[in-house]
Amino acid sequence: MKIGSLESKPVGTPATERKNQAGPVPGQAEASAQVALSPAASALASGGADPAFDTAKVERIAQAIRDGKFTVNPEAIADKLIVNAEELLGRKLS
């Protein structure tokens, strides 16, 4: 479907001219750029093993799921999601 004639197209900057224009260098940060990480992001960025990880607990939960005995507590999940969102946003939601 043709909307207009070729002559009515706006004239843009040719690609060769765009390449020669000065601009920010890729991979180079501005001197005034500042980044603040939340505690959760800092923990993820630090890498390493999380001392709170409990292999035995994971195995118990996996076994309960396999046996069909695992129950979900939606209130606890909702509460933890709200706390996590508050931490990520850096403010209190409720």
Side-chain angles (χ1 to χ4, degrees):
M1 182 169 141
K2 198 172 189 182
I3 296 177
S5 68
L6 294 175
E7 292 80 32
S8 67
K9 287 188 176 182
V11 177
T13 308
T16 54
E17 288 182 34
R18 285 193 302 264
K19 288 180 185 176
N20 295 330
Q21 293 176 348
V25 178
Q28 196 172 31
E30 212 176 289
S32 64
Q34 295 181 358
V35 176
L37 297 177
S38 70
S42 296
L44 287 173
S46 68
D50 183 5
F53 182 79
D54 185 354
T55 308
K57 182 177 181 180
V58 171
E59 183 53 39
R60 285 193 310 272
I61 293 171
Q63 188 61 47
I65 292 170
R66 285 191 290 269
D67 295 342
K69 297 177 182 177
F70 183 76
T71 58
V72 176
N73 182 347
E75 291 83 14
I77 293 170
D79 290 343
K80 289 178 183 178
L81 283 172
I82 291 170
V83 168
N84 188 21
E86 289 171 346
E87 182 179 294
L88 288 174
L89 295 173
R91 62 178 190 244
K92 190 85 171 152
L93 295 177
S94 52

